[in-house]
Structure formats: C-alpha cells, structure tokens
Amino acid sequence: MMLDLLFPNRCLHCNKIIEPDLLVCNLCFSQIHFTHYDYFTNNPIKEKCRLAFPVENTYALLQFEKESLSRKIIHELKYRGREKTGRVLAEWITDRLDFKDQKPDLMVSVPLHPKKLRERGYNQLHVFTETLSAYYGIPFDHELIKRNNYSKAQALKDKQHRLESDKTFSLNKSVSGKHILLIDDVFTTGNTVSSIAWEILKTGNNKVSILVMAMDL
C-alpha cells in the first residue's frame, strides 16, 4: 500500500495515475492498434507461416508499428522488468479469442537461453502463457523446447542474421499426436517459430498453431 502511494502506477502513454493492474488509461487504450485477426481464417501471419511449415491456425493480438503504443507495451514487458504486462496482454486476448471446439492440446512458449534468462531474470512469455492456460483450461509446458544457442535479441539483429537459426532449438522430450499452440512475443520474419515448429512436427503426428502478442510485418 505504501509503495503504491510513493510510486503509483502510471499510464505508459500519458503518464496519468491509473489502477495498479492496468497498463494504460481508458483514453490511451483507444490508441492501441489491435489486429482483429480471426484465429481460424486466413491472415498475414498464416500466409507467411505456410511458406515455411504446415500451420493450422494463427493469431496476433497487436500491430507492432514503429513508435506505436503497442511497441512500447511489448518493450515494457521484455526489457523493463514489467512482467505483469504479460498477464494484462493475456486478458486482452481472452476478450477476443475463442477456440470454440478446437482447443489445442498444449501451450508451449519460446524459451530463452539459460544465460539470457539469468540476465533478464524472467521469461517474458511465462506469465502470459500461464494466464492463458488457466483461462482456457489448456495445459502448458515450459520445458518441452530447449534453446541451444545464446544470441542477441531479434530486434538488434540485421535481417540476414535473423534468418540464420538452424538448430537453435531442440526438444527436451518426445511429443506425439498433439496439437501444440506455440507462443511468442513478436512475429517478424517467422524464423523463430518456424525453427521450433519443425522440431515439433518431425517428432510425431503433431500439429502446430501460432499465437503471438504482436506482429511486425
């Protein structure tokens, strides 16, 4: 309570004091660019994924334009230690996404390399994934995928290096006959989800769908 008085939660956009569990005020919320994609029908992410691997369904919550509020929200989560942002983003998704009678069997988030995890102190996708899991009643597994190589953030790489990630990921255990929802923060080239998807697809009769916080296409 005292910390809330000394350091009140402020809107990420206008700096107005807001409730502790919010990211932006009501006025600034209207400036967030949501994609309004349909999970089951065609969208730009699905089109791009299908060029690289067999994908079932795809969904992105936000547009990730340069200098946008959406980009600022994701950066708060990834680089400024605001882990609760993942819970808020997940709640925004539950307001918009209905799996109907085609729920995936398992949720898996893109892992960090152990060194990056120690540097950051948390995986920005874990709270997000766990919140979605609790709402939809879909189990999650943070240990299924292993990141083998330590590398700098995708946002800091040039395009060529983003495309060079062969054997970046591997499976820690076998999985078969599952429809896996692969979760990432930002979809750019699609190289990361493609690398993981092939590891999942080649091990058994599995299917992969993609869900991301934001898309940068």
Side-chain angles (χ1 to χ4, degrees):
M1 181 66 70
M2 182 61 67
L3 286 177
D4 290 339
L5 293 174
L6 294 175
F7 305 101
N9 188 38
R10 294 182 178 273
C11 173
L12 294 178
H13 193 55
C14 71
N15 210 38
K16 175 183 176 181
I17 294 177
I18 55 177
E19 295 295 321
D21 58 343
L22 299 179
L23 297 179
V24 295
C25 67
N26 290 334
L27 183 61
C28 292
F29 184 82
S30 65
Q31 299 184 44
I32 298 174
H33 294 167
F34 293 95
T35 67
H36 305 293
Y37 287 167
D38 186 283
Y39 173 75
F40 295 103
T41 59
N42 207 26
N43 59 57
I45 292 181
K46 185 174 290 186
E47 292 174 359
K48 194 156 191 175
C49 285
R50 282 180 171 169
L51 296 175
F53 64 93
V55 67
E56 299 298 314
N57 304 299
T58 59
Y59 184 83
L61 178 67
L62 306 173
Q63 301 278 359
F64 197 65
E65 305 101 334
K66 185 177 182 180
E67 305 301 328
S68 68
L69 179 52
S70 299
R71 182 180 289 260
K72 187 171 185 178
I73 289 170
I74 299 297
H75 282 185
E76 285 289 316
L77 171 64
K78 291 185 69 173
Y79 306 120
R80 297 187 181 178
R82 290 186 56 144
E83 192 174 5
K84 73 170 187 179
T85 302
R87 175 181 52 77
V88 177
L89 290 171
E91 290 170 354
W92 290 353
I93 283 185
T94 61
D95 289 337
R96 294 164 173 80
L97 176 58
D98 182 359
F99 290 113
K100 302 177 182 177
D101 59 349
Q102 300 182 46
K103 290 198 303 185
D105 300 307
L106 184 66
M107 292 183 171
V108 175
S109 56
V110 175
L112 295 176
H113 187 273
K115 181 179 179 182
K116 178 65 68 64
L117 184 60
R118 289 193 298 271
E119 291 172 353
R120 187 171 294 173
Y122 64 98
N123 183 318
Q124 72 274 10
L125 295 172
H126 281 182
V127 169
F128 178 74
T129 301
E130 291 159 15
T131 304
L132 292 175
S133 171
Y135 179 85
Y136 291 113
I138 302 171
F140 65 88
D141 188 341
H142 293 326
E143 307 301 324
L144 178 64
I145 306 295
K146 175 185 177 182
R147 183 185 288 265
N148 300 313
N149 303 323
Y150 175 82
S151 62
K152 61 185 178 181
Q154 286 281 337
L156 301 178
K157 294 182 180 181
D158 58 38
K159 185 175 181 179
Q160 179 60 34
H161 283 89
R162 289 183 186 182
L163 298 175
E164 297 171 355
S165 64
D166 290 346
K167 299 308 297 178
T168 299
F169 302 97
S170 59
L171 296 187
N172 277 323
K173 47 192 165 183
S174 62
V175 58
S176 182
K178 300 294 185 181
H179 180 187
I180 294 177
L181 184 65
L182 179 57
I183 296 174
D184 202 1
D185 45 33
V186 181
F187 185 99
T188 50
T189 64
N191 192 49
T192 296
V193 295
S194 177
S195 297
I196 297 175
W198 277 118
E199 293 300 315
I200 294 170
L201 292 168
K202 74 184 184 182
T203 62
N205 186 27
N206 298 309
K207 297 187 293 186
V208 174
S209 290
I210 304 297
L211 185 150
V212 296
M213 297 175 178
M215 55 160 282
D216 183 14
L217 295 177

